[in-house]
Amino acid sequence: VKRSDEQEDRGLGVMEISEEKKGDALVLSLSGRLDAATSKAFQDRILAVIDAGERRLVVDLSQLDYLSSSGLRVFLLAAQRLSGANGKIVLCSLMKPVREVFDIVGFSSLFSIYGSADEALRSL
Amino acid sequence: MRTRIARNTLFFRLLKGGLALILLVSASWYLATAYLWARSTTAHQIRETSRLLQIHVLEARRAEKDFLLRDLKKAGFYRHGDTPSLQRHRTAMARVREDIDTLARLTGDEHRQELDILRGLADQTEAPFRELVAAYREKGFVDWGLEGEWRKAAHDFEHHLPKIASAELETELLQLRRHEKDYLLRKDDESSRAVTRALGTLTARVRSLADPEAAAMLADLDSYAAAFEKYLAIDQRIGMTEESGLQGEVRRAAHAIEPGIERVVEEAGRVGRQAHREFVLASGLILLATLGLGGGLFHVFSRSVTGPLAALTAAVVRIGDGQLDTRLDFPSQDEVGVLANTVNGMALSLKRMIAQIHENMERELQIAREIQMSMLPNIFPAFPERREFDVYATIAPAREVGGDFYDFFFVDDDHVCLAIADVSGKGVPASLFMAVSKTLLKVSTGRGRRPDAILTLLNEELCRDNSSCMFVTIFCGVLDVRSGQLEYSNGGHNLPYVLRSGRLTRLENTPGIALGVVAGATYRTAATMLEPGDGLFLYTDGVTEAMDPAGEVFSEQRLEQFLATAQGAPLSRIVDGLTEEIRRFAAGAPQSDDITAVALQYAGPAVG
């Protein structure tokens, strides 16, 4: 029996998401790898908090080692949902490889990106 | 599967177990309580009986007293020989015996000896009393019994006196009567001797008489003497004081029985208290034992029911986790056994179905892969009739289908369009978006259209109704094969390398966002000149981000190293060599992204 895609994906990415409410903003901190395997979990989580009424999102990527195009797509989805609901998503503390991905794909201009979570919170 | 519910079904076991439990618990309760009840009842009866015994003994004593104090002065006793007091005494004594018998029966062998002694003592009080009663009756009173005889003799004698008319005789008779009274009052030897003496004097006086009456008078005196003698004897038997004779016997026996009775009462109290203590203790023990027994049985019983269920649950969880080879082995034919068999069947069916689904899916994916691969130019040399350049490409999707693509085609006789792209994500969704992107790319190109215009057009099309937020990074170049000028525009893709005489450089970026994201986004075109012999290497991030088992990525550094050493080799050797290098690097780690590489070498304008 061929291994299922799920099993295959499970072996690849490990990512953890933590939440912290700061004022009316929610800070989501990602750590590990955001790739094809883990982006589904991130997508479910971020869409869930948006559905729950969160309108000010800060995504802290200081612990994120790797970002694939699947992960980028989740940021796009979240931004699209929030812009339709008068909300905003900002990113902060990107590590160099992750920042490069944003730069190459051209998403740096699409998202507000800050050096620290405090800066990001002040911007909201 | 035929469902057979046998007699040993769970229901039957529940029923049997439950009934057995209830029967056992209630039987033990019943027996224990009945035993305790009997014990405490016996103790109660012993106490009651001992009190009754005490009362009956007292009643007998009272009847005795009543008899002695009242009945002795009544004619009824002497006439009939019986009185209510005597009846009461008999009844009381009979009851005393009954009580003793009852106690013997209740206490069993434990106190037999003491009770036998007590029975003996009861006999000892009654026998002398009967004798005493008989003696009193014999003794008589006023006109009855010995006293009657005695008195009659005295009266008969007195009748003779008027005929005699002797003053001495009368005086002596009065003396006798006075001593007689003294004796009756004092009951002592002195007064009895005085009577005898007076009688002797009187007898002598009568003998001295020469009178025909004298013989009859002597006979009367003899009768008197005989009666008095008997009277004395019976008085002796009865006892002159309370301590002597039958009176004394009765009294002593009564005293003797008292401590025995007291002991019995005391013992009965002790038995009662002990029984009470035992009852409390045993009730508690029985309660605990019953709880323990019931709990133990319930535990054993419930384990026998829930044990297999727990095993079954664990097995079903394993099956749910995908271990479809899990098999349950329950020999029982009860509901659990039947369920286990059903679960076995289910696991087998699931395995078959999943295998079937996999097979179908793989077949379809295989077809999809063939379609997708056939969309990409994969016959090399691609343009055998063109000498100006050579191109070689390879693609290795992470799954059956992928989101990467490349393309090259002539826009007109002298311009070849070259593109490489990477759709976000992978698998079927990415492959569909890839098919759309690739098709739209082709229709977006046109004679004389610059790469930025191509990307702008393509972006507009891709942004339309892109609710899934899929996007594609794309590098698009148009090479003028006559001059070697490469015009290009980049939509968020990794920049290609230029390989020129041993040196490796990247093309300058034309910043632009990935396609399908921002409607109305604009792109820029840059240009570079390729010299004959120059190479161009395009790739997707599946190359640089291929991972080894430790999670380290292949990286741009390794890519550049490889390209530097491979420069000058035929394009197919470079590209296939790279994929081989990556496979070696991954060392069996699963491929996470599609790997695509395109190499182009410009040979210079065609001659003639």
Side-chain angles (χ1 to χ4, degrees):
Chain A
V1 178
K2 195 181 187 296
R3 285 198 305 167
S4 73
D5 295 341
E6 295 294 321
Q7 280 172 318
E8 198 174 285
D9 288 346
R10 219 175 276 163
L12 291 176
V14 178
M15 184 198 58
E16 280 175 20
I17 309 171
S18 62
E19 281 179 29
E20 195 187 352
K21 188 81 185 165
K22 290 213 167 152
D24 66 345
L26 184 73
V27 179
L28 287 171
S29 301
L30 303 187
S31 67
R33 294 172 52 88
L34 184 56
D35 55 22
T38 56
S39 58
K40 180 75 171 74
F42 179 45
Q43 178 178 327
D44 291 347
R45 185 77 167 264
I46 198 163
L47 294 185
V49 302
I50 292 168
D51 287 344
E54 295 293 341
R55 289 293 171 265
R56 303 266 179 276
L57 291 184
V58 174
V59 184
D60 185 335
L61 301 180
S62 58
Q63 302 295 316
L64 193 72
D65 305 319
Y66 176 79
L67 175 67
S68 82
S69 56
S70 303
L72 283 175
R73 192 181 141 261
V74 179
F75 289 114
L76 272 187
L77 265 177
Q80 195 189 46
R81 284 281 180 93
L82 283 169
S83 69
N86 202 20
K88 198 177 179 195
I89 180 169
V90 300
L91 314 178
C92 69
S93 315
L94 278 63
M95 286 167 81
K96 193 159 167 278
V98 173
R99 175 80 205 199
E100 277 170 8
V101 171
F102 267 88
D103 289 344
I104 291 170
V105 180
F107 278 14
S108 309
S109 58
L110 210 58
F111 289 94
S112 307
I113 299 176
Y114 297 94
S116 71
D118 288 342
E119 250 180 274
L121 282 167
R122 274 199 299 276
S123 76
L124 286 173
Chain B
M1 186 184 305
R2 209 168 81 85
T3 309
R4 196 170 70 85
I5 306 287
R7 274 188 64 81
N8 60 344
T9 57
L10 201 53
F11 173 74
F12 267 101
R13 272 164 62 206
L14 279 168
L15 196 69
K16 274 193 310 194
L19 282 177
L21 196 64
I22 290 166
L23 274 176
L24 250 163
V25 169
S26 27
S28 56
W29 248 115
Y30 176 78
L31 287 175
T33 317
Y35 171 73
L36 279 182
W37 176 250
R39 292 267 318 193
S40 78
T41 308
T42 306
H44 180 74
Q45 282 176 338
I46 288 171
R47 246 179 352 197
E48 285 300 298
T49 311
S50 70
R51 284 203 195 104
L52 282 176
L53 175 63
Q54 202 172 21
I55 288 166
H56 292 148
V57 167
L58 285 174
E59 208 163 276
R61 297 293 303 279
R62 228 181 77 200
E64 278 173 22
K65 287 269 184 315
D66 284 352
F67 168 77
L68 292 173
L69 289 176
R70 301 194 200 129
D71 295 358
L72 288 179
K73 304 280 189 290
K74 284 179 182 165
F77 169 62
Y78 300 98
R79 202 174 283 146
H80 308 296
D82 201 5
T83 68
S85 305
L86 286 177
Q87 282 166 13
R88 266 168 45 220
H89 183 259
R90 278 201 304 278
T91 311
M93 285 313 287
R95 287 197 176 139
V96 165
R97 281 197 184 77
E98 276 172 27
D99 292 341
I100 292 170
D101 288 346
T102 307
L103 283 175
R105 191 161 44 74
L106 290 174
T107 54
D109 288 338
E110 205 181 334
H111 299 288
R112 185 173 297 279
Q113 210 180 347
E114 285 174 52
L115 288 170
D116 282 345
I117 292 170
L118 202 62
R119 195 181 284 116
L121 285 172
D123 289 343
Q124 276 173 33
T125 55
E126 196 171 22
F129 183 68
R130 288 235 173 94
E131 269 181 64
L132 184 66
V133 171
Y136 271 122
R137 181 134 190 263
E138 201 186 337
K139 184 181 162 193
F141 177 64
V142 192
D143 292 333
W144 296 281
L146 289 173
E147 199 173 323
E149 275 178 44
W150 179 25
R151 187 160 296 192
K152 186 169 171 293
H155 279 291
D156 288 348
F157 183 78
E158 273 177 1
H159 282 187
H160 298 291
L161 288 185
K163 295 167 195 167
I164 306 292
S166 160
E168 291 87 354
L169 202 62
E170 271 191 46
T171 309
E172 277 162 9
L173 179 61
L174 279 175
Q175 280 293 341
L176 176 66
R177 297 308 294 266
R178 191 169 66 82
H179 290 310
E180 195 181 299
K181 286 280 179 290
D182 282 350
Y183 172 75
L184 285 176
L185 284 175
R186 296 190 197 133
K187 298 265 184 183
D188 55 1
D189 287 348
E190 197 187 328
S191 35
S192 78
R193 274 196 301 275
V195 171
T196 312
R197 264 201 315 278
L199 191 59
T201 313
L202 200 58
T203 308
R205 176 72 61 195
V206 174
R207 278 209 187 102
S208 66
L209 290 175
D211 193 285
E213 290 284 319
M217 284 170 76
L218 275 175
D220 287 341
L221 282 180
D222 280 348
S223 300
Y224 184 103
F228 180 65
E229 206 157 318
K230 279 191 204 164
Y231 192 92
L232 276 180
I234 209 124
D235 256 354
Q236 283 297 331
R237 253 180 75 206
I238 286 169
M240 293 303 186
T241 63
E242 285 191 335
E243 308 300 330
S244 60
L246 286 170
Q247 279 191 73
E249 260 180 65
V250 168
R251 205 177 154 84
R252 278 191 299 279
H255 281 303
I257 202 169
E258 266 168 25
I261 298 290
E262 263 167 39
R263 263 206 311 282
V264 166
V265 172
E266 201 175 299
E267 178 69 14
R270 195 184 61 74
V271 168
R273 282 192 300 278
Q274 194 184 335
H276 180 75
R277 271 200 306 277
E278 273 178 19
F279 185 86
V280 171
L281 190 69
S283 298
L285 284 177
I286 286 169
L287 186 68
L288 284 178
T290 310
L291 281 177
L293 182 73
L297 281 173
F298 184 77
H299 181 71
V300 168
F301 175 61
S302 61
R303 279 294 291 271
S304 80
V305 174
T306 57
L309 283 177
L312 193 58
T313 307
V316 171
V317 167
R318 279 201 303 280
I319 290 170
D321 282 345
Q323 297 176 39
L324 297 178
D325 292 322
T326 305
R327 287 291 174 274
L328 290 156
D329 186 22
F330 284 101
S332 67
Q333 273 303 308
D334 61 13
E335 288 91 334
V336 178
V338 171
L339 186 57
N341 285 337
T342 313
V343 168
N344 284 341
M346 185 191 75
L348 198 64
S349 303
L350 271 177
K351 200 179 164 185
R352 281 201 204 112
M353 278 165 65
I354 287 171
Q356 186 66 47
I357 289 168
H358 263 290
E359 208 176 292
N360 290 349
M361 223 168 69
E362 261 171 67
R363 202 166 45 233
E364 294 197 354
L365 281 171
Q366 204 50 49
I367 295 166
R369 179 192 177 88
E370 282 163 21
I371 293 170
Q372 190 179 34
M373 288 305 140
S374 70
M375 290 170 74
L376 305 177
N378 56 4
I379 296 165
F380 301 102
F383 309 105
E385 73 283 7
R386 306 299 296 231
R387 302 296 169 99
E388 296 97 327
F389 72 100
D390 188 16
V391 66
Y392 189 84
T394 187
I395 184 163
R399 301 183 188 169
E400 283 78 356
V401 292
D404 283 8
F405 73 91
Y406 62 83
D407 209 356
F408 36 82
F409 50 87
F410 276 95
V411 182
D412 56 33
D413 280 352
D414 303 318
H415 293 88
V416 65
C417 177
L418 174 71
I420 187 164
D422 181 356
V423 173
S424 59
K426 56 181 179 175
V428 173
S431 75
L432 289 172
F433 203 76
M434 165 268 179
V436 171
S437 306
K438 186 184 169 290
T439 310
L440 288 174
L441 172 68
K442 204 148 194 178
V443 301
S444 300
T445 57
R447 179 188 288 268
R449 192 170 290 159
R450 289 175 8 143
D452 61 305
I454 295 170
L455 291 191
T456 305
L457 209 58
L458 178 57
N459 182 51
E460 289 311 305
E461 290 300 322
L462 288 177
C463 282
R464 197 170 291 161
D465 305 325
N466 182 15
S467 59
S468 62
C469 283
M470 301 281 282
F471 61 87
V472 56
T473 64
I474 187 164
F475 174 88
C476 177
V478 175
L479 176 68
D480 184 340
V481 296
R482 292 170 307 178
S483 63
Q485 174 172 274
L486 175 72
E487 287 187 318
Y488 63 90
S489 185
N490 190 24
H493 199 79
N494 311 61
L495 287 162
Y497 288 101
V498 176
L499 298 83
R500 173 174 296 166
S501 53
R503 286 186 56 218
L504 200 62
T505 54
R506 269 191 196 264
L507 285 178
E508 189 193 328
N509 196 15
T510 61
I513 192 166
L515 282 72
V517 180
V518 181
T522 54
Y523 297 89
R524 281 167 38 199
T525 292
T528 187
M529 286 300 292
L530 294 182
E531 301 296 328
D534 283 358
L536 195 63
F537 181 81
L538 301 80
Y539 67 100
T540 59
D541 58 7
V543 170
T544 48
E545 282 158 20
M547 277 190 301
D548 70 1
E552 194 177 337
V553 295
F554 189 70
S555 78
E556 292 179 354
Q557 199 188 345
R558 281 197 182 80
L559 173 61
E560 287 166 12
Q561 220 167 350
F562 178 83
L563 290 176
T565 52
Q567 228 183 102
L571 297 184
S572 61
R573 287 269 293 281
I574 297 176
V575 171
D576 290 340
L578 175 64
T579 51
E580 184 55 37
E581 179 76 14
I582 292 169
R583 191 171 298 122
R584 260 203 304 279
F585 174 78
Q591 184 183 339
S592 68
D593 203 357
D594 307 338
I595 295 173
T596 306
V598 178
L600 178 143
Q601 190 165 37
Y602 181 60
V607 181

